[in-house]
């Protein structure tokens, strides 16, 4: 059975030594996040994830969710009790506003805790994860009345949330959606339609489920300009806030799927369900985007989390499995063979995953700080810069961390040889569970298009310029330090490739957008590599400081892992640049019938 140990020490290194979160103590919630509190929160979260959620991961996979004839859904054995513990620990609302019962701690804490939850049990983590997304959308766009009624229950975890976008004929292209909303004399709406693939749409973990639903009000324009967002609870709240009459919505069936069996993926039928508008009529996509952006970062974290837990188990196995002898002669002469970790190709695999995980965690924290600055700072310039950062980095984090996260689960599985294909070791479950992260919340091809088509040109390229300025500013600031050369030189080269690719798009994609479309996934991954490279340069600088102050082997390991990234992973940007600047011709030339 696989095991998991939450990377608490690594998280503390990032918060304290790389990003110096004490610098933000003027922001609400940060002064409460003192080192003691951070230690306690991460420590408690780690215990819960390691001891409660990890053992339920396999059970959830084997049992799955079950739907009864009346449409009710039961989650796997142990999920209900674990959810009760999650609620009692106040984990859902650790970063939610205190006025709704949250702890108001910075978003960085939520992202770290969510990484632990996802590593331990991805299917389980989606119940609180979707609730957090729904809380964010209601907080940003709900009326005071809706907020007062729903948020305290959701922040406490008494009620959970969902997001209902997808319909059978409408996934990526939400403009096609058909679910209808009819306005009622009392100001509420009646929703009618079918949504598919709705995660956590029905279950037995909470006393009410709050569905956020995209629908078209009768008479609204076609396409995305006619979409509105509604809240449709499973039970209509009574005036005192307790769950009342059953609403006209139900789970029609559960999807049978490749992974995340412990999460209920539901077909949801709305048969004139009572609902209330969130935000303005026909502005539903803007409101839903608040939830989707939150969720996209969350899904990026899922990719990292799966990569981390797969890495940990692969690392343990490669230290124990005896096969063959080291190339330079036996290392463990007393044993019948050496452990496979002596083999360079095994180490290449482990180092590749490890170098990704540590930098990806830093990238998530860097972006979570931007989220905190955006929501909590009262400095207009800082807020704007933080918003730019999040807009630019969200598709990168979603797309790159899940593409690579999945690839890493496969690489980690490979370390087990044939045993990785056998269910007992749990590696094949990680592969199956991680696969969905590349598809939902906007398939990764769409993330790449969002980056290239929307985020790069937005505001005259302001966000991108700020990103380059920060990376180049860091290189300049540290360039006098010879020890930093192995990190700064490759980073400067890769950032140069990214600039060249950006200029190539400017010169070749405006007249011929297919040139951008054909290069977008390469560009997103190139952006990811440069951003991860920047994280490694920052971590290397912090590790050197700690070593000077007498720190331990962990910091030496950081420097070696960072060097591996710079030497063996970052040079991929040269190939990406070559592919991008070859244009769309060979991609687009064959007619559709030829495929
Ligand atoms: C387990 C699971 C859980 C889910 N949970 C939820 C949920 O809670 N709520 C919810 O609303 N939905 C949910 N979804 C739905 C999910 O978000 C969609 O499946 C996803 O957005 C893709 O839509 P689609 O499946 O219709 O694919 P399509 O839109 O048909 O796309 C198919 C492929 O074509 C590509 N493609 C499409 N358009 C373009 C384009 N313009 N340019 C380039 N490439 C393009 C896509 O990248 C994709 O690879 C879930 C799905 C699954 C499987």
């Amino acid at each position: 059975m696989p095991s998991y140990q939450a990377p608490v020490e690594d998280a503390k290194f990032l918060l304290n030594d790389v990003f110096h979160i004490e610098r933000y103590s003027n922001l609400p919630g940060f002064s409460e996040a003192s080192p003691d509190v951070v230690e306690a929160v991460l420590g408690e979260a780690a215990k819960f994830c390691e001891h409660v959620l990890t053992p339920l991961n396999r059970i959830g996979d084997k049992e799955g969710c079950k739907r009864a004839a009346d449409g009710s859904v039961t989650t796997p054995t142990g999920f209900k009790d674990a959810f009760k513990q999650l609620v009692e620990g106040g984990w859902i609302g650790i970063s939610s506003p205190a006025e709704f019962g949250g702890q108001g701690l910075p978003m960085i804490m939520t992202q770290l805790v969510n990484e632990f939850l996802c590593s331990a049990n991805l299917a389980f983590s989606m119940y609180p994860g979707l609730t957090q997304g729904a809380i964010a959308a209601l907080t940003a766009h709900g009326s005071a009345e809706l907020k007062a009624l729903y948020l305290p229950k959701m922040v406490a975890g008494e009620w959970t949330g969902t997001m209902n976008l997808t319909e059978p004929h409408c996934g990526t292209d939400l403009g096609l959606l058909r679910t209808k909303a009819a306005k009622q004399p009392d100001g509420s709406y009646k929703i009618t339609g079918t949504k598919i693939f709705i995660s956590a749409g029905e279950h037995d973990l909470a006393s009410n489920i709050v569905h956020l639903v995209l629908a078209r009000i009768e008479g609204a324009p076609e396409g995305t300009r006619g979409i509105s967002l509604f809240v449709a609870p499973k039970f209509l709240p009574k005036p005192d806030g307790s769950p009342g009459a059953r609403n006209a919505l139900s789970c029609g069936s559960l999807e049978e799927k490749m992974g995340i069996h412990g999460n209920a993926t539901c077909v949801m039928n709305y048969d004139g369900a009572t609902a209330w508008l969130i935000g303005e009529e026909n502005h539903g996509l803007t409101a839903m985007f608040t939830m989707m952006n939150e969720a996209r970062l969350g899904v990026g974290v899922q990719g990292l989390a799966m990569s981390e837990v797969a890495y940990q188990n692969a690392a343990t196995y490669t230290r124990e499995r005896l096969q063959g002898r080291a190339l330079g002669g036996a290392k463990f002469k007393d044993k019948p063979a050496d452990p496979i970790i002596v083999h360079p190709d095994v180490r290449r695999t482990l180092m590749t995953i490890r170098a990704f995980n540590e930098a990806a965690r830093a990238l998530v924290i860097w972006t979570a700080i931007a989220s905190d600055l955006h929501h909590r700072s009262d400095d207009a310039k800082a807020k704007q810069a933080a918003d730019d950062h999040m807009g630019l980095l969200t598709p990168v984090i979603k797309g790159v961390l899940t593409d690579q996260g999945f690839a890493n689960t496969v690489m980690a599985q490979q370390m087990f040889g044939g045993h990785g294909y056998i269910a007992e070791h749990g590696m094949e479950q990680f592969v199956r569970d991680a696969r969905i992260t590349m598809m939902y919340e906007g398939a990764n091809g769409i993330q790449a298009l969002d980056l290239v088509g929307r985020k790069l040109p937005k505001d005259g390229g302001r966000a991108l310029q700020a990103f380059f300025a920060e990376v180049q500013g860091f290189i300049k600031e540290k360039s006098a330090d010879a020890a930093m050369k192995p990190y700064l030189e490759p980073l400067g080269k890769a950032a140069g490739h990214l600039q060249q690719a950006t200029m190539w798009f400017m010169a070749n994609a405006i007249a011929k957008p297919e040139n951008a479309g054909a290069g977008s996934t390469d560009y997103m991954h190139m952006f990811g590599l440069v951003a991860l490279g920047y994280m490694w340069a920052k971590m290397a600088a912090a590790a050197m400081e700690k070593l000077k102050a007498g720190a331990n082997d962990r910091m030496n390991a950081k420097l070696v892992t960072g060097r591996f990234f710079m030497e063996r992973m970052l040079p991929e940007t040269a190939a990406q640049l070559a592919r991008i600047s070859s244009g769309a011709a060979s991609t687009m030339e064959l007619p559709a019938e030829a495929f």
Side-chain angles (χ1 to χ4, degrees), residues 86-381:
L86 180 96
V87 167
E88 283 165 3
W91 293 111
I92 293 175
I94 55 174
S95 300
S96 298
E99 62 172 312
F100 300 119
Q103 296 177 44
L105 288 171
M107 200 58 200
I108 39 179
M109 299 306 295
T110 292
Q111 295 295 10
L112 283 167
V113 170
N114 284 356
E115 185 201 318
F116 301 173
L117 292 169
C118 297
S119 281
N121 195 324
L122 184 61
F124 178 92
S125 76
M126 291 170 67
Y127 296 101
L130 281 151
T131 307
Q132 286 168 340
I135 290 170
L138 271 167
T139 307
H141 304 285
S143 65
E145 214 181 341
L146 287 181
K147 285 189 207 177
L149 197 54
Y150 289 94
L151 287 179
K153 303 277 189 196
M154 295 170 78
V155 167
E158 279 180 53
W159 299 357
T160 59
T162 70
M163 56 191 282
N164 291 238
L165 291 77
T166 309
E167 298 177 11
H169 60 285
C170 145
T172 302
D173 188 355
L174 289 170
L176 299 173
L177 81 77
R178 291 186 194 142
T179 298
K180 288 264 166 269
K183 193 161 188 175
Q184 305 300 300
D186 67 355
S188 68
Y189 292 78
K190 294 279 184 212
I191 305 261
T192 306
T194 301
K195 296 285 180 181
I196 62 164
F197 299 163
I198 304 309
S199 300
E202 178 60 43
H203 56 77
D204 56 357
L205 303 179
S207 62
N208 204 356
I209 302 176
V210 180
H211 301 286
L212 298 200
V213 187
L214 284 184
R216 198 181 299 281
I217 297 173
E218 285 173 336
E222 292 294 304
T224 51
R225 286 180 304 116
I227 297 176
S228 303
L229 179 63
F230 298 89
V231 57
K234 175 177 168 186
F235 293 103
L236 299 168
K238 293 188 206 155
D240 68 359
S242 60
R246 186 77 158 83
N247 205 353
L249 58 91
S250 58
C251 166
S253 62
L254 287 182
E255 304 292 354
E256 283 186 27
K257 55 192 193 292
M258 178 177 175
I260 53 164
H261 293 158
N263 195 271
T265 308
C266 305
V267 172
M268 293 300 300
N269 296 323
Y270 292 85
D271 302 309
T274 302
W276 291 270
L277 185 68
I278 300 177
E280 290 175 46
E281 283 190 3
N282 301 335
H283 286 77
L285 271 192
T286 321
M288 192 52 121
F289 258 107
T290 305
M291 180 161 184
M292 275 154 66
N293 279 335
E294 193 99 352
R296 283 176 178 179
L297 285 176
V299 175
V301 170
Q302 293 180 347
L304 158 64
M306 297 313 291
S307 178
E308 173 67 33
V309 69
Y311 167 79
Q312 288 187 15
N313 285 280
T316 305
Y317 189 78
T318 58
R319 285 195 303 266
E320 291 164 359
R321 175 73 174 167
L322 306 180
Q323 292 292 302
R325 285 296 184 191
L327 290 177
K331 289 243 162 110
F332 293 81
K333 292 201 173 97
D334 54 324
K335 295 188 172 157
D338 282 336
I340 59 174
I341 198 162
V342 301
H343 305 307
D345 192 57
V346 166
R347 282 170 162 264
R348 172 194 63 80
T349 306
L350 292 177
M351 289 301 286
T352 302
I353 309 176
R354 176 191 177 112
F356 167 82
N357 290 352
E358 294 182 19
R361 185 168 299 114
L363 188 58
V364 167
I365 293 186
W366 187 36
T367 305
I369 291 173
S371 161
D372 281 320
L373 277 165
H374 176 60
H375 289 112
R376 295 168 194 237
S377 172
D378 47 20
D379 173 344
K381 229 173 128 189

Side-chain angles (χ1 to χ4, degrees), residues 13 17 483 487 539-560:
F13 166 68
D17 302 298
Y487 305 92
M539 289 193 288
M544 285 177 201
E545 285 303 312
K546 285 202 81 152
L547 281 169
K548 274 187 218 151
N552 51 33
D553 292 349
R554 278 193 63 243
M555 292 301 117
N556 273 322
K558 275 270 172 228
L559 292 180
V560 174

